[in-house]
Amino acid sequence: MDSYISCCWLVLYLFFGGGSTVTIQGYVGDVVTLTCKYDARHYGTLSVCWGRGHIPKSGCDNEILRTEGVKVTHRASVRYNLQGDLRAGDVSLTITQAQVKDSGLYGCRVDVPGWFNDQKHHLALVIKPAPETTPEPWAPRESTTVGYPKAPETTPEPWAPRESTTVGYPKEQTTTIQTTMGSSVPPDPPTVAIREISARSISVLWSTGSDGNTPITAFHLECKSQSDSWVDGVRGSNILPWERETAINDLRPFYTYNIRMFTKNNMGLSKPSNELTVTTKEAAPDGPPQDVKLEALSSHNIRVTWRAPELSLQNGMILGYQLRYSEYSSRERLPVRVVHLMDRSESFTMNNLQEATKYSVTLHTINSAGLGPSSQELVCSTLTNEHSTSTIATTTSSAETWLLVTDSPTQGQRVDDFSTTSPLSNSTTDPALSKKLGTEEQSGHLVAILVPVLVLGLLVVMAIIWQFRRTTLKKGNWKILWKNNDFMSFGESEPAL
């Protein structure tokens, strides 16, 4: 029976958690730290949550802060900070500008992989009103009695100038010490400005105000999406006190962010700085067009339809699409026709195709930063005349160029000098190659005209020769016409004179 009870008690202990509660005391306006650590060298970086009240079976009640590894994913107030080394497992909670309402039970839960492995720490925080200090009465005219000892009574003849020096100096020194000790306050907020903006990072610089008569210990920089609040979705980082410039990296292109900063000293955080609203620059799209489909309309037409890439992968304003198609061959590379569709349409009809011929099609998205990745290559065959249907094909404004493609375009490749009113030609083609292709095309047209003329002329010459042979036929044998002294005769050899 005793073993059964002990087993049940152990299960309940593991399930609900155990451990003693540590009590921490502080005063209003203090910076208090609730200690919570784990062995990061053994477990690696883990997820941690802080909550108000007893730690439940899972998660944290009244959650005030949560981390995923070394990243803070949720924070209920800017007064809650993790100033320890998260990579070393120090997830102690620091509360700045403590208030009486902060008093209560706090729980720290470290999510250790496995069943019943989570580490739970309970800490009780007691915040008391700041003690009232009554300043010592100060009488400026009696400073000689308070600030400096009197001359010994055994002095027979006090010296007036010496007495005047003793009176003036101690009074000034005493006043200076009392003023310095009584004016330590949180620092003034910094002034933040933008230094440089790129597609995936923002560089900021700042200047400081008063340090509150206490050395600055750090700066705290915060960045969030414009659509989020300062409570949720905030990225925060602590910066060394002598730094005056930093960069925020791993941002999304063509995305709007809000940035602000705080100054820290031993008395707490300053008020927030001026708030910056910044939009990162565009980058080449990270995603291809979606839902690309091919439909054979007739023996000479194929329609292509698609949708824009996912919004999070567009990285800027879509200006158009690059469509590339050619006859399909698995053994050789064939010339490719490149079409730039700069009206942001999402369909195109390929015309003047060969009957019953397979064509391959790929699509790229275009923005001001360049080309996005290619869509998956699709193959479609035109219809035969027997299966052709009467279809009116609608084409869009575009610029088409025949190119002998030697390699595929790369993501981010620039497409320059384009606009929605002036379709562009492919700027990625070698000018010498384009000139050569144009010359070959003109030569092809000339050959197509000359060959039939030459064939027709040859047929005419052959007809004339055949007619001439026919008129010189004699007794079924071909003879030679001889002329000698105005006398003409047929024969195998020249007649005798």
Side-chain angles (χ1 to χ4, degrees):
M1 183 67 181
D2 293 338
S3 61
Y4 175 76
I5 295 175
S6 300
C7 183
C8 290
W9 180 86
L10 178 60
V11 171
L12 291 174
Y13 180 87
L14 292 173
F15 190 72
F16 291 104
S20 60
T21 301
V22 178
T23 301
I24 299 174
Q25 295 185 0
Y27 293 97
V28 173
D30 285 351
V31 178
V32 294
T33 299
L34 309 181
T35 303
C36 180
K37 299 181 179 180
Y38 66 92
D39 188 358
R41 290 181 298 177
H42 177 72
Y43 295 110
T45 54
L46 301 176
S47 299
V48 177
C49 67
W50 278 92
R52 298 288 300 267
H54 188 80
I55 299 176
K57 299 177 182 178
S58 63
C60 294
D61 280 345
N62 300 318
E63 185 176 276
I64 59 175
L65 189 142
R66 171 171 286 277
T67 70
E68 297 291 341
V70 296
K71 181 179 179 182
V72 177
T73 58
H74 170 70
R75 180 169 51 178
S77 172
V78 294
R79 297 190 301 115
Y80 301 138
N81 296 282
L82 300 180
Q83 297 185 357
D85 187 355
L86 301 185
R87 298 185 185 277
D90 185 358
V91 289
S92 301
L93 177 67
T94 299
I95 304 176
T96 59
Q97 299 178 358
Q99 305 172 11
V100 175
K101 66 179 182 180
D102 292 328
S103 299
L105 183 65
Y106 288 77
C108 170
R109 186 189 203 105
V110 181
D111 296 334
V112 181
W115 287 9
F116 309 122
N117 287 339
D118 289 356
Q119 297 180 12
K120 304 176 185 178
H121 305 271
H122 290 94
L123 302 99
L125 178 62
V126 179
I127 300 297
K128 300 178 180 179
E132 297 181 0
T133 57
T134 303
E136 182 180 353
W138 177 252
R141 293 186 180 183
E142 299 178 2
S143 60
T144 54
T145 302
V146 178
Y148 198 82
K150 292 183 179 180
E153 294 182 359
T154 58
T155 304
E157 294 180 1
W159 185 29
R162 183 178 178 181
E163 182 181 358
S164 173
T165 304
T166 304
V167 171
Y169 179 74
K171 178 179 178 181
E172 181 181 357
Q173 184 180 17
T174 305
T175 304
T176 302
I177 293 174
Q178 290 186 357
T179 302
T180 303
M181 294 298 293
S183 62
S184 294
V185 294
D188 290 340
T191 301
V192 188
I194 296 297
R195 184 181 182 278
E196 185 179 2
I197 303 173
S198 66
R200 302 183 188 273
S201 67
I202 299 173
S203 297
V204 296
L205 47 84
W206 62 92
S207 59
T208 60
S210 171
D211 61 2
N213 295 320
T214 302
I216 294 174
T217 58
F219 296 98
H220 184 71
L221 180 66
E222 292 187 339
C223 176
K224 71 173 184 67
S225 168
Q226 188 180 35
S227 59
D228 294 333
S229 67
W230 286 112
V231 176
D232 300 324
V234 177
R235 296 175 52 180
S237 62
N238 291 322
I239 303 171
L240 296 173
W242 53 82
E243 298 286 349
R244 293 296 181 271
E245 181 180 330
T246 190
I248 308 171
N249 300 313
D250 301 326
L251 303 178
R252 285 178 53 182
F254 199 61
Y255 204 71
T256 303
Y257 293 91
N258 297 129
I259 301 172
R260 69 180 184 181
M261 180 178 278
F262 298 84
T263 305
K264 290 182 181 181
N265 65 10
N266 290 332
M267 302 304 296
L269 281 175
S270 69
K271 294 181 179 179
S273 69
N274 56 306
E275 184 175 314
L276 303 176
T277 301
V278 188
T279 301
T280 52
K281 294 184 178 181
E282 295 189 17
D286 286 329
Q290 303 180 89
D291 298 336
V292 182
K293 298 178 181 178
L294 306 181
E295 180 185 2
L297 302 179
S298 67
S299 58
H300 301 288
N301 306 98
I302 294 177
R303 181 168 58 197
V304 187
T305 59
W306 64 89
R307 290 192 302 110
E310 296 181 17
L311 184 61
S312 61
L313 302 178
Q314 293 180 11
N315 297 343
M317 294 292 296
I318 294 179
L319 301 179
Y321 298 91
Q322 184 189 86
L323 186 146
R324 305 165 68 90
Y325 69 96
S326 67
E327 293 186 19
Y328 175 74
S329 174
S330 59
R331 290 173 293 183
E332 60 179 331
R333 188 182 296 272
L334 299 176
V336 175
R337 172 163 288 183
V338 178
V339 184
H340 292 100
L341 308 168
M342 305 313 297
D343 57 358
R344 287 180 285 186
S345 60
E346 296 184 353
S347 66
F348 177 74
T349 301
M350 303 183 301
N351 298 317
N352 303 320
L353 306 179
Q354 299 295 324
E355 177 186 351
T357 303
K358 290 183 178 180
Y359 289 85
S360 64
V361 177
T362 57
L363 272 170
H364 300 262
T365 308
I366 301 174
N367 65 12
S368 63
L371 289 176
S374 171
S375 64
Q376 183 179 1
E377 182 182 28
L378 297 180
V379 177
C380 181
S381 177
T382 54
L383 303 177
T384 59
N385 283 327
E386 304 87 69
H387 299 89
S388 297
T389 57
S390 176
T391 305
I392 300 177
T394 303
T395 60
T396 57
S397 61
S398 62
E400 301 187 16
T401 308
W402 276 105
L403 303 174
L404 183 59
V405 178
T406 57
D407 53 9
S408 300
T410 58
Q411 182 178 353
Q413 185 173 335
R414 292 300 302 267
V415 180
D416 300 322
D417 302 329
F418 62 84
S419 66
T420 55
T421 58
S422 178
L424 80 154
S425 61
N426 191 334
S427 62
T428 63
T429 305
D430 185 357
L433 179 60
S434 298
K435 182 177 180 180
K436 178 180 178 181
L437 291 172
T439 304
E440 291 179 355
E441 184 176 359
Q442 294 178 359
S443 300
H445 292 314
L446 183 62
V447 170
I449 296 174
L450 291 179
V451 167
V453 174
L454 293 176
V455 171
L456 181 60
L458 182 61
L459 292 176
V460 171
V461 171
M462 291 178 63
I464 293 174
I465 294 174
W466 180 81
Q467 184 65 25
F468 174 76
R469 291 284 189 176
R470 182 171 174 272
T471 56
T472 58
L473 183 63
K474 182 178 181 182
K475 294 183 180 180
N477 296 321
W478 292 94
K479 302 295 183 179
I480 301 176
L481 180 65
W482 297 94
K483 181 178 180 182
N484 190 8
N485 296 328
D486 297 329
F487 176 78
M488 299 182 66
S489 63
F490 290 96
E492 296 292 344
S493 60
E494 181 178 1
L497 296 177

